Coordinates of all heavy atoms in Angstrom, one line a residue:
Chain A
Q26 N 46.5 -31.1 -134.4 CA 45.4 -32.2 -134.3 C 44.0 -31.7 -134.7 O 43.6 -30.7 -134.2 CB 45.4 -32.5 -132.7 CG 44.4 -33.7 -132.3 CD 44.8 -35.0 -132.9 OE1 46.1 -35.2 -133.2 NE2 44.0 -36.0 -132.9
S57 N 33.0 -31.5 -145.8 CA 31.7 -32.0 -145.7 C 31.5 -32.5 -144.2 O 32.4 -32.7 -143.5 CB 31.4 -33.2 -146.7 OG 32.5 -34.1 -146.5
F59 N 28.5 -34.0 -141.2 CA 27.5 -35.1 -141.1 C 27.0 -35.1 -139.6 O 27.7 -34.8 -138.7 CB 28.1 -36.4 -141.5 CG 28.8 -36.5 -142.8 CD1 30.0 -36.0 -142.9 CD2 28.0 -36.7 -143.9 CE1 30.7 -36.1 -144.2 CE2 28.6 -36.8 -145.2 CZ 29.9 -36.4 -145.3
Y61 N 25.2 -38.0 -137.2 CA 24.9 -39.3 -137.0 C 24.1 -39.5 -135.8 O 24.4 -38.9 -134.7 CB 26.0 -40.3 -137.1 CG 26.7 -40.5 -138.3 CD1 27.6 -39.6 -138.9 CD2 26.5 -41.6 -139.1 CE1 28.2 -39.8 -140.1 CE2 27.0 -41.8 -140.4 CZ 27.9 -40.9 -140.9 OH 28.5 -41.1 -142.1
Q63 N 22.8 -42.1 -132.8 CA 23.2 -43.5 -132.2 C 22.4 -43.7 -130.9 O 22.5 -43.1 -129.9 CB 24.7 -43.5 -131.8 CG 25.2 -44.9 -131.4 CD 26.7 -45.0 -131.2 OE1 27.4 -44.1 -130.8 NE2 27.2 -46.2 -131.3
G66 N 23.3 -48.7 -127.3 CA 23.6 -50.2 -127.7 C 23.5 -50.5 -129.2 O 23.6 -51.7 -129.6
K67 N 23.3 -49.4 -130.0 CA 23.2 -49.7 -131.5 C 24.4 -49.0 -132.1 O 25.1 -48.1 -131.5 CB 21.9 -49.1 -132.0 CG 20.6 -49.7 -131.4 CD 20.5 -51.2 -131.8 CE 19.2 -51.7 -131.3 NZ 19.0 -53.1 -131.7
S68 N 24.5 -49.1 -133.4 CA 25.5 -48.5 -134.2 C 25.0 -47.2 -134.8 O 23.8 -46.9 -134.8 CB 26.0 -49.4 -135.3 OG 24.9 -49.7 -136.2
P69 N 26.0 -46.2 -135.1 CA 25.4 -44.9 -135.6 C 24.8 -45.0 -137.0 O 25.1 -46.0 -137.8 CB 26.7 -44.2 -135.8 CG 27.8 -44.9 -134.9 CD 27.3 -46.3 -135.0
E70 N 23.8 -44.3 -137.1 CA 23.2 -44.2 -138.5 C 23.1 -42.6 -139.0 O 22.9 -41.8 -138.2 CB 21.6 -44.7 -138.4 CG 20.9 -43.9 -137.4 CD 19.3 -44.5 -137.5 OE1 18.9 -44.9 -138.5 OE2 18.8 -44.5 -136.4
L71 N 23.4 -42.5 -140.2 CA 23.4 -41.1 -140.8 C 22.0 -40.5 -140.9 O 21.0 -41.1 -141.4 CB 24.0 -41.1 -142.2 CG 24.1 -39.9 -143.0 CD1 25.1 -39.0 -142.4 CD2 24.4 -40.2 -144.4
S74 N 23.4 -34.9 -144.0 CA 24.7 -34.4 -144.5 C 24.6 -33.1 -145.0 O 23.5 -32.7 -145.5 CB 25.3 -35.4 -145.6 OG 24.3 -35.5 -146.6
Y76 N 26.9 -29.9 -147.2 CA 28.2 -29.8 -147.9 C 28.4 -28.2 -148.3 O 29.6 -27.9 -148.6 CB 28.2 -30.4 -149.2 CG 28.1 -32.0 -149.1 CD1 26.9 -32.6 -149.0 CD2 29.2 -32.8 -149.0 CE1 26.7 -34.0 -148.8 CE2 29.2 -34.2 -148.9 CZ 27.9 -34.7 -148.8 OH 27.9 -36.1 -148.7
K81 N 20.0 -26.9 -144.4 CA 19.5 -27.9 -145.2 C 18.4 -28.7 -144.4 O 18.7 -29.0 -143.2 CB 20.6 -28.9 -145.5 CG 20.2 -30.2 -146.3 CD 21.2 -31.1 -146.6 CE 20.7 -32.3 -147.3 NZ 21.7 -33.3 -147.4
L113 N 26.1 -37.6 -133.0 CA 27.5 -37.5 -133.3 C 27.6 -36.6 -134.6 O 27.1 -36.8 -135.6 CB 28.1 -38.9 -133.7 CG 28.0 -39.9 -132.7 CD1 28.4 -41.3 -133.3 CD2 28.8 -39.7 -131.4
A115 N 30.3 -35.2 -137.3 CA 31.4 -35.7 -138.0 C 31.8 -34.8 -139.1 O 31.0 -34.3 -139.8 CB 31.2 -37.2 -138.5
N117 N 34.5 -34.3 -142.5 CA 35.3 -35.0 -143.5 C 36.5 -34.0 -144.0 O 36.1 -33.1 -144.8 CB 34.5 -35.5 -144.7 CG 35.3 -36.4 -145.5 OD1 36.5 -36.8 -145.4 ND2 34.7 -37.0 -146.6
S119 N 38.8 -34.2 -145.9 CA 39.1 -34.3 -147.4 C 37.8 -34.7 -148.1 O 37.2 -35.7 -147.6 CB 40.3 -35.3 -147.7 OG 40.2 -35.6 -149.0
S120 N 37.4 -34.2 -149.2 CA 36.1 -34.4 -149.8 C 35.9 -35.9 -150.2 O 34.8 -36.4 -150.3 CB 35.9 -33.5 -150.8 OG 36.9 -33.8 -151.9
N121 N 36.9 -36.7 -150.4 CA 36.7 -37.9 -151.1 C 37.0 -39.1 -150.4 O 36.7 -40.3 -150.8 CB 37.5 -38.0 -152.4 CG 37.0 -36.9 -153.5 OD1 35.8 -36.8 -153.5 ND2 37.8 -36.3 -154.2
T122 N 37.6 -39.1 -149.3 CA 38.1 -40.3 -148.6 C 37.1 -40.9 -147.6 O 37.1 -42.1 -147.4 CB 39.4 -39.9 -147.7 OG1 39.1 -39.2 -146.6 CG2 40.4 -39.5 -148.6
G123 N 36.2 -40.0 -147.0 CA 35.4 -40.5 -146.0 C 36.0 -40.8 -144.6 O 35.5 -41.5 -143.7
K124 N 37.3 -40.4 -144.5 CA 37.9 -40.7 -143.2 C 37.5 -39.6 -142.1 O 38.1 -38.6 -142.0 CB 39.4 -40.6 -143.4 CG 40.0 -41.7 -144.2 CD 41.4 -41.6 -144.7 CE 42.4 -41.5 -143.4 NZ 43.8 -41.3 -144.0
L125 N 36.4 -39.8 -141.6 CA 35.7 -38.8 -140.9 C 36.4 -38.6 -139.4 O 36.9 -39.6 -139.0 CB 34.2 -39.2 -140.5 CG 33.3 -39.3 -141.8 CD1 32.0 -39.7 -141.4 CD2 33.3 -38.2 -142.6
I126 N 36.3 -37.4 -139.0 CA 36.6 -37.1 -137.6 C 35.4 -36.9 -136.8 O 34.6 -36.1 -137.2 CB 37.6 -35.8 -137.5 CG1 38.9 -36.2 -138.2 CG2 37.9 -35.6 -136.0 CD1 39.7 -34.9 -138.4
F127 N 35.1 -37.7 -135.8 CA 33.8 -37.7 -135.0 C 34.1 -36.8 -133.8 O 35.2 -36.8 -133.0 CB 33.5 -39.0 -134.6 CG 32.9 -39.8 -135.8 CD1 33.6 -40.6 -136.7 CD2 31.4 -39.8 -136.0 CE1 33.0 -41.2 -137.7 CE2 30.8 -40.4 -137.0 CZ 31.6 -41.3 -137.8
G128 N 33.0 -36.2 -133.4 CA 32.9 -35.5 -132.1 C 32.6 -36.6 -131.1 O 32.1 -37.8 -131.6
Q129 N 32.5 -36.3 -129.8 CA 32.2 -37.4 -128.9 C 30.7 -37.6 -128.6 O 30.3 -38.5 -128.0 CB 32.9 -37.1 -127.6 CG 34.5 -37.3 -127.6 CD 35.0 -37.4 -126.2 OE1 34.5 -37.9 -125.3 NE2 36.3 -37.2 -126.2
Chain B
R34 N 28.8 -60.6 -133.0 CA 28.3 -59.5 -132.2 C 29.1 -59.5 -130.8 O 29.4 -58.3 -130.4 CB 26.9 -59.7 -131.9 CG 25.9 -59.5 -133.1 CD 26.0 -58.2 -133.6 NE 25.7 -57.0 -132.6 CZ 24.6 -56.7 -132.2 NH1 23.4 -57.3 -132.7 NH2 24.4 -55.8 -131.3
N56 N 34.7 -47.9 -150.5 CA 35.3 -47.6 -149.2 C 34.8 -48.5 -148.1 O 33.6 -48.8 -148.0 CB 35.0 -46.1 -148.8 CG 35.6 -45.1 -149.8 OD1 36.5 -45.4 -150.5 ND2 35.1 -43.8 -149.7
F58 N 35.7 -49.3 -143.8 CA 36.5 -48.6 -142.6 C 36.2 -49.6 -141.4 O 35.2 -50.3 -141.3 CB 35.7 -47.3 -142.2 CG 35.6 -46.3 -143.3 CD1 34.5 -46.4 -144.2 CD2 36.5 -45.3 -143.5 CE1 34.3 -45.5 -145.2 CE2 36.3 -44.4 -144.6 CZ 35.3 -44.4 -145.3
Y60 N 36.4 -48.8 -137.4 CA 36.5 -47.8 -136.2 C 36.4 -48.8 -134.8 O 35.8 -49.8 -134.8 CB 35.3 -47.0 -136.1 CG 35.3 -45.8 -137.2 CD1 34.8 -46.0 -138.5 CD2 35.9 -44.6 -136.9 CE1 34.8 -45.0 -139.4 CE2 36.0 -43.6 -137.9 CZ 35.5 -43.7 -139.1 OH 35.5 -42.7 -140.0
Q62 N 35.0 -47.9 -130.8 CA 34.2 -46.9 -130.0 C 34.4 -47.2 -128.6 O 34.0 -48.3 -128.1 CB 32.8 -46.8 -130.4 CG 32.1 -45.7 -129.8 CD 30.6 -45.5 -130.3 OE1 30.0 -46.6 -130.7 NE2 30.1 -44.2 -130.3
G65 N 34.0 -42.1 -123.6 CA 34.9 -40.9 -123.4 C 35.9 -40.6 -124.5 O 36.5 -39.6 -124.5
L66 N 36.1 -41.5 -125.4 CA 37.0 -41.4 -126.5 C 36.4 -41.3 -127.8 O 37.0 -41.0 -128.8 CB 38.0 -42.5 -126.5 CG 39.0 -42.6 -125.3 CD1 39.8 -43.8 -125.3 CD2 39.8 -41.3 -125.2
G67 N 35.1 -41.7 -127.9 CA 34.3 -41.6 -129.1 C 34.8 -42.6 -130.2 O 35.4 -43.6 -129.9
L68 N 34.5 -42.3 -131.4 CA 34.7 -43.1 -132.5 C 36.2 -42.8 -133.1 O 36.4 -41.6 -133.4 CB 33.7 -43.0 -133.7 CG 32.5 -43.8 -133.6 CD1 31.5 -43.1 -134.4 CD2 32.7 -45.2 -134.0
L70 N 39.2 -43.9 -135.8 CA 39.4 -44.7 -137.1 C 40.8 -45.6 -136.9 O 41.8 -45.1 -136.7 CB 39.6 -43.9 -138.3 CG 39.8 -44.6 -139.7 CD1 38.6 -45.3 -140.1 CD2 40.1 -43.5 -140.7
F73 N 41.4 -48.0 -143.1 CA 40.6 -47.6 -144.2 C 41.0 -48.2 -145.4 O 42.2 -48.4 -145.6 CB 40.6 -46.0 -144.2 CG 40.2 -45.5 -145.5 CD1 38.8 -45.6 -146.0 CD2 41.0 -44.7 -146.3 CE1 38.5 -45.1 -147.2 CE2 40.7 -44.1 -147.5 CZ 39.4 -44.3 -147.9
E81 N 44.8 -47.9 -145.9 CA 45.4 -46.7 -145.2 C 45.4 -46.9 -143.7 O 44.3 -47.2 -143.3 CB 44.9 -45.5 -145.7 CG 45.4 -45.0 -147.1 CD 44.9 -43.6 -147.4 OE1 44.5 -42.8 -146.5 OE2 44.8 -43.2 -148.5
K82 N 46.4 -46.4 -143.0 CA 46.3 -46.4 -141.6 C 45.4 -45.3 -141.2 O 45.4 -44.2 -141.9 CB 47.6 -46.2 -141.0 CG 48.5 -47.3 -141.1 CD 49.9 -47.1 -140.5 CE 50.7 -48.3 -140.7 NZ 52.1 -48.1 -140.1
G83 N 44.5 -45.5 -140.1 CA 43.7 -44.4 -139.6 C 44.6 -43.8 -138.3 O 45.8 -43.7 -138.3
D84 N 43.8 -43.4 -137.3 CA 44.4 -42.7 -136.2 C 45.1 -43.7 -135.2 O 46.1 -43.2 -134.5 CB 43.5 -41.8 -135.5 CG 42.8 -40.8 -136.4 OD1 43.6 -40.1 -137.2 OD2 41.6 -40.6 -136.5
L115 N 33.4 -51.2 -135.0 CA 32.4 -51.0 -135.9 C 32.9 -50.9 -137.3 O 34.0 -50.2 -137.6 CB 31.8 -49.6 -135.6 CG 31.0 -49.5 -134.3 CD1 30.7 -48.0 -133.8 CD2 29.6 -50.2 -134.6
S119 N 31.2 -47.0 -147.5 CA 30.6 -45.7 -148.3 C 30.9 -45.8 -149.7 O 31.9 -46.5 -150.1 CB 31.1 -44.5 -147.6 OG 32.5 -44.2 -147.9
P121 N 32.0 -43.3 -152.8 CA 32.3 -42.0 -153.4 C 31.3 -41.6 -154.5 O 30.8 -42.4 -155.2 CB 33.6 -42.1 -153.9 CG 34.2 -43.3 -153.2 CD 33.2 -44.3 -152.9
P122 N 31.0 -40.3 -154.7 CA 31.6 -39.2 -154.1 C 31.0 -38.9 -152.7 O 31.5 -37.9 -152.0 CB 31.2 -38.0 -155.0 CG 30.0 -38.4 -155.6 CD 30.1 -40.0 -155.8
A123 N 29.9 -39.6 -152.2 CA 29.4 -39.3 -150.9 C 30.2 -40.1 -150.0 O 29.6 -40.9 -149.3 CB 28.0 -39.6 -150.9
A124 N 31.5 -39.9 -149.9 CA 32.3 -40.8 -149.1 C 32.2 -40.7 -147.7 O 32.4 -41.7 -146.9 CB 33.8 -40.5 -149.5
G125 N 31.7 -39.6 -147.1 CA 31.4 -39.5 -145.7 C 30.1 -40.0 -145.2 O 29.8 -39.9 -144.0
E126 N 29.3 -40.5 -146.1 CA 27.9 -41.0 -145.8 C 28.1 -42.5 -145.4 O 28.0 -43.3 -146.3 CB 27.0 -40.7 -146.8 CG 26.8 -39.3 -147.0 CD 25.7 -38.8 -148.1 OE1 25.1 -39.7 -148.6 OE2 25.5 -37.6 -148.4
L127 N 28.5 -42.8 -144.3 CA 28.8 -44.1 -143.8 C 27.7 -45.0 -143.5 O 26.8 -44.4 -142.9 CB 29.9 -44.1 -142.6 CG 31.2 -43.2 -142.8 CD1 32.0 -43.4 -141.6 CD2 31.8 -43.6 -144.0
F129 N 26.9 -48.2 -141.3 CA 27.6 -48.9 -140.2 C 27.0 -50.4 -140.1 O 25.9 -50.6 -140.2 CB 27.6 -48.3 -138.9 CG 28.6 -47.1 -138.7 CD1 28.2 -45.9 -139.1 CD2 29.8 -47.3 -138.1 CE1 29.1 -44.7 -138.9 CE2 30.7 -46.2 -138.0 CZ 30.3 -44.9 -138.4
G130 N 27.9 -51.3 -139.8 CA 27.4 -52.7 -139.2 C 26.9 -52.5 -137.8 O 27.0 -51.5 -137.2
E131 N 26.4 -53.7 -137.3 CA 25.9 -53.6 -135.9 C 26.9 -53.6 -134.8 O 26.6 -53.4 -133.7 CB 25.0 -54.8 -135.7 CG 23.7 -54.8 -136.6 CD 22.8 -55.9 -136.3 OE1 23.2 -57.1 -136.1 OE2 21.6 -55.7 -136.3
G132 N 28.3 -53.8 -135.3 CA 29.3 -53.7 -134.2 C 29.6 -55.1 -133.7 O 28.8 -56.0 -133.6

Side-chain angles (χ1 to χ4, degrees):
Chain A
Q26 179 74 18
S57 49
F59 307 88
Y61 287 83
Q63 187 173 24
K67 301 292 187 182
S68 57
E70 59 177 327
L71 178 71
S74 58
Y76 296 88
K81 179 182 177 183
L113 304 171
N117 194 358
S119 168
S120 59
N121 292 322
T122 67
K124 291 169 67 176
L125 302 182
I126 299 172
F127 283 86
Q129 291 202 24
Chain B
R34 291 294 307 277
N56 296 342
F58 310 82
Y60 285 88
Q62 187 172 31
L66 296 176
L68 275 158
L70 181 64
F73 158 62
E81 280 189 22
K82 293 180 180 180
D84 299 317
L115 291 162
S119 72
E126 298 182 5
L127 304 185
F129 283 90
E131 292 187 319

